[in-house]
Amino acid sequence: MKGSMHNNGMKMTILVVDDDPDARSVLKRFMEDLGHEAREARDGQDGLDAALRERPNAIISDGLMPRMDGFQLLRAVRKNETLKSVPFILYTSVYTADQERSLALSLGADELIVKPATPKVVWGK
């Protein structure tokens, strides 16, 4: 995990974007257990709207979602002047090949993690 995802003990606001409510809930609960504030969004479009409204300290997004997938969300975040420096993790069970990892990193993702990794793996703990 890149150093930009670590918070040096400060409370962070993490935006968890996933169309699976159970997956969102698990990550949200884990972030809160670490002392962070977690926000939820049900797809990329809702995630982008929430990020623009609240400017989270980090975004963890599923890859395959309705309306706007994780790659589209990543592109939109990196193109936005306010959001472009926000650390972004793609957390996916569908886009797992080396070419998807390369694409995610070339678009500016800080990491691509394959589900069902534990929240500890996602956060680098």
Side-chain angles (χ1 to χ4, degrees):
M1 184 72 51
K2 293 187 178 182
S4 60
M5 290 302 298
H6 295 285
N7 64 342
N8 298 323
M10 297 173 55
K11 182 176 181 175
M12 299 175 69
T13 300
I14 313 300
L15 177 61
V16 177
V17 185
D18 199 315
D19 60 325
D20 178 346
D22 293 333
R24 281 195 320 264
S25 178
V26 167
L27 282 174
K28 181 178 187 283
R29 192 168 34 249
F30 180 77
M31 295 304 150
E32 291 171 346
D33 286 349
L34 288 174
H36 303 299
E37 187 173 338
R39 307 287 181 162
E40 297 179 65
R42 64 181 176 188
D43 62 33
Q45 186 60 59
D46 286 347
L48 181 58
D49 294 344
L52 288 168
R53 219 176 24 252
E54 303 176 26
R55 196 181 185 283
N57 299 107
I59 298 170
I60 301 172
S61 177
D62 187 24
L64 183 62
M65 296 178 288
R67 294 198 307 157
M68 178 187 280
D69 70 21
F71 289 95
Q72 293 167 320
L73 175 58
L74 173 58
R75 282 185 192 106
V77 165
R78 291 297 178 245
K79 286 181 182 178
N80 183 280
E81 198 60 37
T82 303
L83 300 175
K84 69 181 180 181
S85 65
V86 173
F88 195 107
I89 296 174
L90 270 168
Y91 182 54
T92 181
S93 61
V94 176
Y95 301 115
T96 60
D98 287 341
Q99 70 183 38
E100 280 94 4
R101 177 177 297 280
S102 295
L103 175 61
L105 297 177
S106 75
L107 292 173
D110 291 274
E111 189 64 72
L112 184 142
I113 297 175
V114 178
K115 288 180 184 180
T118 65
K120 287 183 180 185
V121 170
V122 173
W123 196 245
K125 293 273 182 188

